[in-house]
Amino acid sequence: MNKIRKVKLTLKSRSTTEGAGVRLKRAFGYADPSLDPFLLLDDFHSDDPNDYIAGFPWHPHRGIETITYILHGKVEHGDSLGNGGVIEAGDVQWMTAGSGIVHQEMPHKDENDPKLAGFQLWANLPASFKMMEPRYREVKKEQIPEVSINDKVKVKIIAGEINGTKGPVEDIVTEPEYLDVAMDPNSELKHSIKEGNNVIAYVIEGEAYFDEDNENLVGAENLVIYRGGDHVLIRTTYKNVRFLLISGKPIKEPVAWRGPIVMNTDEELRIAFREYQNGTFIKY
Ligand code: FE2
């Protein structure tokens, strides 16, 4: 490890409405070479069920993976493969839409504990995998290992590997690393990331410096986009920090994107929407 990645940009997530009227914060939702293979990161957290109860009723996806990580509350889901269940606090649903899936994601309302918090990340698929058979993995909280880097830094590994401990989500084409990092005050994390892969961090709570220059503390609801290098260096001051650290291998292909479907060309988008209209969208 000799080249520390510098922060290219920090972006404050913005309020938007998605699904049938879910109010959430969008960290990003566009294709960009420094975010590739990732397309979107939504942060939904609210104590008011009116912000989320409308949910995400039946809708299609093709050409991407959607990764849902719930921190608090419950989301019920069902899909065209016949899967159904509940994503609970600490669980992850890693859904590879491939050639096509139709699903719904509906937050559960609990009168005694109305808080819902979680994230949805979209990862693109390369052309050769866009029409792959849909795949779906439900990862329970207990399956996600937590490793201590030192006595002040703990990392939950959803995908990726740290000091020989592997996360439960493997064999994903874009080699994603998805970490939930908690750092105490006055601590430091040096974490290697393959040169050439892109890296982002999203702060959940607290604040930290995300590169060596120590110019800007980055706080909650901010996205950090990194430049190239072979590792990241994160440091806290007198506060703690919790953030998602996500990296992956860029696909470097043209992106044609409309709503929940992401292909390479406009013609492929037209085909996808036509198939959805005439009932031939689902291939498996
Ligand atoms: Fe969806």
Side-chain angles (χ1 to χ4, degrees):
M1 289 199 276
N2 53 33
K3 191 180 171 204
I4 301 174
R5 290 179 182 253
K6 292 193 185 301
V7 172
K8 179 185 181 188
L9 188 66
T10 60
L11 290 175
K12 182 89 176 160
S13 61
R14 293 198 206 175
S15 298
T16 188
T17 304
E18 258 305 339
V22 177
R23 283 186 280 280
L24 50 77
K25 297 280 178 74
R26 178 154 293 161
F28 66 95
Y30 56 91
D32 183 90
S34 58
L35 295 166
D36 187 7
F38 305 108
L39 298 165
L40 174 146
L41 179 63
D42 280 347
D43 168 2
F44 43 94
H45 61 267
S46 176
D47 295 323
D48 180 0
N50 292 318
D51 284 341
Y52 59 77
I53 201 66
F56 303 88
W58 295 101
H59 60 276
H61 289 288
R62 174 178 284 179
I64 57 168
E65 304 188 86
T66 67
I67 299 114
T68 308
Y69 180 28
I70 301 298
L71 300 185
H72 202 103
K74 292 177 184 176
V75 174
E76 290 180 35
H77 66 92
D79 67 37
S80 52
L81 296 172
N83 296 300
V86 181
I87 314 170
E88 301 195 48
D91 297 349
V92 171
Q93 185 203 70
W94 198 294
M95 196 273 285
T96 306
S99 61
I101 205 164
V102 178
H103 75 164
Q104 65 169 345
E105 305 154 291
M106 304 301 287
H108 187 80
K109 182 177 172 182
D110 182 342
E111 302 286 355
N112 299 316
D113 184 9
K115 184 180 173 184
L116 178 75
F119 300 94
Q120 187 167 85
L121 174 74
W122 289 13
N124 205 356
L125 287 168
S128 53
F129 286 85
K130 281 195 180 292
M131 295 302 284
M132 69 182 278
E133 187 174 342
R135 190 167 62 173
Y136 161 97
R137 303 178 196 195
E138 187 149 271
V139 181
K140 288 296 185 194
K141 182 183 180 186
E142 303 74 49
Q143 296 171 263
I144 298 172
E146 185 176 62
V147 298
S148 296
I149 305 285
N150 53 52
D151 58 356
K152 290 182 169 180
V153 180
K154 287 194 173 73
V155 183
K156 291 193 178 99
I157 311 171
I158 293 159
E161 181 177 346
I162 294 180
N163 300 337
T165 302
K166 281 186 181 172
V169 181
E170 295 184 76
D171 306 321
I172 301 285
V173 59
T174 48
E175 300 172 6
E177 178 180 55
Y178 193 130
L179 308 174
D180 177 352
V181 182
M183 297 174 61
D184 287 349
N186 301 308
S187 62
E188 183 178 302
L189 171 67
K190 202 173 179 182
H191 177 65
S192 72
I193 289 167
K194 200 169 170 181
E195 184 111 47
N197 284 11
N198 283 323
V199 195
I200 53 174
Y202 185 77
V203 181
I204 302 170
E205 60 184 40
E207 60 183 30
Y209 292 113
F210 280 81
D211 68 17
E212 62 188 329
D213 296 336
N214 282 13
E215 277 176 10
N216 294 303
L217 275 164
V218 183
E221 299 184 357
N222 280 283
L223 175 77
V224 175
I225 302 173
Y226 278 103
R227 295 186 188 281
D230 60 15
H231 69 284
V232 291
L233 179 67
I234 294 129
R235 276 193 277 237
T236 54
T237 56
Y238 66 95
K239 286 188 183 174
N240 67 327
V241 71
R242 183 178 181 191
F243 60 95
L244 303 177
L245 187 68
I246 298 166
S247 69
K249 186 180 170 185
I251 294 170
K252 299 178 181 172
E253 290 178 2
V255 173
W257 181 355
R258 198 193 313 160
I261 296 176
V262 186
M263 304 302 288
N264 296 107
T265 67
D266 288 342
E267 177 59 14
E268 289 168 334
L269 283 183
R270 275 193 291 276
I271 292 168
F273 281 93
R274 194 166 60 226
E275 288 182 348
Y276 187 54
Q277 291 304 319
N278 70 21
T280 58
F281 183 78
I282 296 299
K283 308 295 181 191
Y284 294 91

